[in-house]
Amino acid sequence: MIKRIVVLSLMFFLCTFGQEVKEDGLKLESYTFPLYGRFLDLFMYYMKIQVGTPGVEYTVTVDTGSSDTLIPSINCRNCQGGNPSNYYNASKSKTGRLVTCSSHLNCQLCQSPSQPCHYTLNYEGGADITINASVYQDTISLNGFLSFSSPFGAILNISMQNSLSKSSKFKHHLKSSSKILPLQSDSNYPEGIVGFATSKGNTLGSTSFIDSLLLS
């Protein structure tokens, strides 16, 4: 039996999956991958994931307060971060499929089972952010050594309203380094978000990224 232990260390910019040792008959595996960023400067940490087959790499913000995974869709109307040519396109993935309202997930605005599954998320904090996304199921990989099939949101539209009256420097960081997607064109900024919370708070009612890693 394999037991995976997840330790998120923002201090050392590493996420570690335990040490491989024998303990009470259990095999503990360990994997380490880097976290980038600096909260005091960018107000975020971020990491790399791959989505689809073949995998397309996305830079995603790590959010310990949510459990949804979101990346920009090729059909997004106002996504400007990262490389637009790499935005998610299920037709280019051998393992990607559109999720419909007939699924067990918490889809919104469903009038018939055959309709595509859509949902809206609201993030509050330094900025009030509203995201509209369609739901797809595809393979998500972490540095090529851990992978699992999971539903996620492909962002169709994002809006952000600054809700803090802080310094102009803070406002600049909110606009250029948004938790979800930057509102400017720059390939160095994160394109999406991965929630590191457990499945209990997942908007779709699916297994979260962290829980999926533990089960993979």
Side-chain angles (χ1 to χ4, degrees):
M1 181 178 182
I2 296 176
K3 181 179 180 182
R4 292 196 176 113
I5 300 176
V6 178
V7 178
L8 177 62
S9 174
L10 298 181
M11 196 66 125
F12 298 101
F13 312 108
L14 295 175
C15 189
T16 302
F17 286 78
Q19 286 279 338
E20 186 171 336
V21 295
K22 297 288 184 178
E23 180 181 286
D24 297 330
L26 298 177
K27 181 181 180 182
L28 304 184
E29 290 189 346
S30 89
Y31 302 96
T32 299
F33 55 93
L35 291 177
Y36 307 95
R38 177 177 166 82
F39 188 78
L40 294 178
D41 294 332
L42 299 175
F43 302 101
M44 64 180 172
Y45 293 95
Y46 54 94
M47 58 184 284
K48 307 281 188 180
I49 62 172
Q50 298 78 40
V51 179
T53 307
V56 176
E57 187 168 84
Y58 296 90
T59 301
V60 290
T61 300
V62 174
D63 182 16
T64 57
S66 69
S67 57
D68 292 277
T69 299
L70 294 153
I71 58 174
S73 166
I74 192 69
N75 297 316
C76 186
R77 286 176 289 180
N78 60 349
C79 297
Q80 298 181 29
N83 184 354
S85 64
N86 284 342
Y87 286 0
Y88 183 74
N89 185 349
S91 66
K92 294 185 177 181
S93 172
K94 296 178 182 178
T95 49
R97 66 176 180 84
L98 178 67
V99 175
T100 66
C101 290
S102 63
S103 74
H104 67 282
L105 301 176
N106 299 326
C107 305
Q108 300 171 4
L109 304 176
C110 289
Q111 295 182 351
S112 71
S114 61
Q115 279 187 306
C117 179
H118 291 276
Y119 71 127
T120 299
L121 299 91
N122 295 301
Y123 290 85
E124 297 179 356
D128 293 329
I129 299 170
T130 300
I131 290 178
N132 299 309
S134 54
V135 182
Y136 288 85
Q137 177 97 16
D138 210 337
T139 299
I140 299 177
S141 302
L142 182 60
N143 288 356
F145 56 77
L146 286 175
S147 64
F148 52 88
S149 181
S150 176
F152 62 90
I155 302 170
L156 297 173
N157 184 64
I158 176 172
S159 60
M160 183 174 75
Q161 182 177 356
N162 196 339
S163 61
L164 289 184
S165 56
K166 296 281 188 178
S167 66
S168 59
K169 179 180 180 181
F170 187 81
K171 291 181 179 180
H172 169 74
H173 281 304
L174 283 176
K175 292 178 180 179
S176 64
S177 305
S178 162
K179 176 187 281 190
I180 310 301
L181 287 174
L183 299 182
Q184 65 177 26
S185 180
D186 192 324
S187 60
N188 294 319
Y189 284 118
E191 300 148 289
I193 183 170
V194 58
F196 263 42
T198 62
S199 302
K200 184 177 181 179
N202 189 271
T203 306
L204 286 172
S206 64
T207 306
S208 69
F209 181 85
I210 282 293
D211 287 342
S212 296
L213 286 178
L214 292 171
L215 295 170
S216 64

